[in-house]
Amino acid sequence: MPLSLEDQLDIMELMARYNHAIDSSQPEAWADTFTEDGVFEGSAGKVSGREEMLAFVRNRDQSNPIRHWNNNILIDGDGDDATAKVYLVTFDVTGPPEVRITGMYHDTLKRVDGQWKFTHRKVRADG
Amino acid sequence: MPLSVEDRMAILALVTRYNHAVDEGDVDTRSETFTEDGVWDSDTAGVVTSREAIRAHAATRAPQAHTKKHWTNSPVIEGDGDHATITQYLWLVEIVEPRRTLMIGTYHDTVRREPEGWLFAKRELRVHSRIDY
């Protein structure tokens, strides 16, 4: 069954929740955007499972706060499974606001107990 | 009752309507995105209470409107029935030379369903980073 409009809105909102959670350093809220066995692959390596995810946010360097922005959210899916490709911009908000990086997320998602979550989220900086 | 897809799209459209109105210096449309008792509380303008007061405030800002644009991102909507909150980021960018990023902030909005549709009961803008402009 193709994704409904509500599924598509829910997935876009999941990405927004992820941004607010990581930018405000909220470990639980960030881990909640992944399934229990979810995997995040970033520039610093791979983080998998809830405990590693909570630790990842707690131990993150918070001396240079940024804001994550998404655009061109391209979602494909069927039933309880989806994939997405998403543009990313981060803004540096330590001093005068400036673009820090641009990049791309490659996501796989699953509906668990009625809620969409990331099973795998990989980010690659452009260039 | 949880928010329907129509409600969520209408709330996103309210935000978009506000962005276009403020950037076009459209004082009436900007103030009419608020309820009659609406509150505009920002780190840059202070607290302005009531649609009429917001209209008067908007009129003082309208002459500079065409020098910048409001971009919003990452909206999270929560609510049910006739009430909701929406949290989202703001990027305020200068559209005349030297085309700088003026501000990054977060809107914390409360919206309410009125006979004419979803409107802002309260907008709070918290600034994370800005330059003098």
Side-chain angles (χ1 to χ4, degrees):
Chain A
M1 201 175 75
L3 298 182
S4 67
L5 294 179
E6 188 155 38
D7 288 331
Q8 295 177 59
L9 270 177
D10 286 349
I11 289 170
M12 288 191 273
E13 192 158 284
L14 175 75
M15 294 168 183
R17 287 180 191 280
Y18 172 103
N19 291 344
H20 289 282
I22 194 71
D23 293 340
S24 313
S25 292
Q26 298 175 289
E28 302 279 346
W30 188 73
D32 282 347
T33 64
F34 290 86
T35 56
E36 283 293 331
D37 59 351
V39 176
F40 172 70
E41 277 189 74
S43 53
K46 194 183 280 193
V47 184
S48 55
R50 188 164 183 93
E51 286 311 311
E52 280 188 27
M53 287 195 174
L54 294 175
F56 172 76
V57 179
R58 289 191 189 116
N59 300 334
R60 214 159 152 266
D61 179 8
Q62 290 170 31
S63 57
N64 292 299
I66 57 173
R67 294 290 178 270
H68 287 65
W69 281 54
N70 294 140
N71 210 322
N72 294 329
I73 299 174
L74 182 62
I75 303 168
D76 286 296
D78 192 63
D80 294 328
D81 292 283
T83 60
K85 275 174 68 186
V86 187
Y87 284 20
L88 167 69
V89 175
T90 63
F91 287 99
D92 197 330
V93 292
T94 315
E98 286 174 12
V99 171
R100 186 183 289 182
I101 66 153
T102 66
M104 177 91 77
Y105 285 111
H106 297 267
D107 299 324
T108 59
L109 304 101
K110 190 172 267 304
R111 190 203 317 262
V112 181
D113 296 331
Q115 293 200 310
W116 286 96
K117 307 257 186 183
F118 299 113
T119 56
H120 194 156
R121 172 151 252 220
K122 182 171 73 177
V123 62
R124 288 286 176 267
D126 294 329
Chain B
M1 201 175 77
L3 297 179
S4 66
V5 167
E6 286 76 10
D7 287 330
R8 293 161 74 183
M9 293 301 290
I11 291 167
L12 293 173
L14 175 69
V15 170
T16 305
R17 185 174 310 117
Y18 178 95
N19 289 344
H20 282 268
V22 67
D23 293 340
E24 289 162 10
D26 181 343
V27 171
D28 289 340
T29 303
R30 181 183 176 188
S31 56
E32 284 161 13
T33 61
F34 286 86
T35 58
E36 288 285 355
D37 61 349
V39 177
W40 166 230
D41 171 358
S42 81
D43 287 346
T44 52
V47 180
V48 183
T49 303
S50 89
R51 183 187 286 169
E52 279 317 301
I54 292 167
R55 188 191 305 270
H57 165 75
T60 67
R61 297 299 173 97
Q64 300 103 51
H66 301 278
T67 61
K68 44 192 182 276
K69 279 207 166 86
H70 289 66
W71 292 63
T72 48
N73 201 269
S74 301
V76 174
I77 302 172
E78 296 186 358
D80 61 83
D82 298 331
H83 298 268
T85 61
I86 173 164
T87 305
Q88 72 207 300
Y89 292 149
L90 167 67
W91 173 34
L92 185 65
V93 61
E94 192 169 42
I95 57 169
V96 293
E97 293 302 334
R99 300 179 186 276
R100 301 162 298 176
T101 287
L102 301 177
M103 180 203 298
I104 296 286
T106 300
Y107 284 112
H108 303 272
D109 298 323
T110 306
V111 295
R112 195 166 76 212
R113 192 200 309 271
E114 294 280 294
E116 59 266 55
W118 287 93
L119 297 176
F120 295 116
K122 185 169 190 183
R123 299 212 84 181
E124 288 180 51
L125 173 61
R126 302 282 83 97
V127 174
H128 303 304
S129 173
R130 63 173 293 195
I131 60 172
D132 291 327
Y133 60 87

